[in-house]
Amino acid sequence: MSLIITDECINCDVCEPECPNEAISQGDEIYVIDPSKCTECVGHFDDPQCQQVCPVDCIPLDPNFKETEEQLMEKYLTLTGQL
C-alpha cells in the first residue's frame, strides 16, 4: 500500500525531505503523498522514513492503494530506472 497523510498533519515539514522517492509535497492545507511514487521506502529502507519522523503519527497505510511487497519493489525499480 501507499501511505497517506491524514488531516492531523501539523505541517511541521519533517516528512518531506525524508522521502527518498520525493512522493511527499505540500498540498493545499496539509502535506500529501503521491501514491504513484510511494513505495513505503521499499528498496531504500526497512521502514517508511516519513512514519519514523512524524511527531503526530498521522501517516497510516492508504487503504485505497493496496500493493504487495513485490509490487512496491517493482515500483521502486521503475522509479529508480532499474527496470
Side-chain angles (χ1 to χ4, degrees):
M1 289 187 192
S2 173
L3 300 169
I4 189 170
I5 298 176
T6 65
D7 58 5
E8 286 87 23
C9 175
I10 58 171
N11 290 314
C12 66
D13 303 319
V14 297
C15 62
E16 183 181 22
E18 295 300 319
C19 181
N21 297 323
E22 298 180 353
I24 300 173
S25 62
Q26 180 65 49
D28 291 336
E29 295 181 25
I30 59 172
Y31 278 86
V32 294
I33 297 177
D34 180 346
S36 69
K37 292 182 178 180
C38 179
T39 63
E40 296 177 46
C41 288
V42 167
H44 295 284
F45 302 102
D46 292 334
D47 297 305
Q49 297 301 288
C50 59
Q51 286 181 331
Q52 299 298 312
V53 298
C54 181
V56 292
D57 195 29
C58 68
I59 310 175
L61 291 172
D62 185 346
N64 296 315
F65 293 97
K66 295 182 181 183
E67 296 170 293
T68 65
E69 184 89 14
E70 292 79 22
Q71 289 171 313
L72 292 169
M73 180 55 81
E74 186 174 325
K75 189 191 306 185
Y76 159 77
L77 292 172
T78 300
L79 288 169
T80 58
Q82 300 179 49
L83 185 66

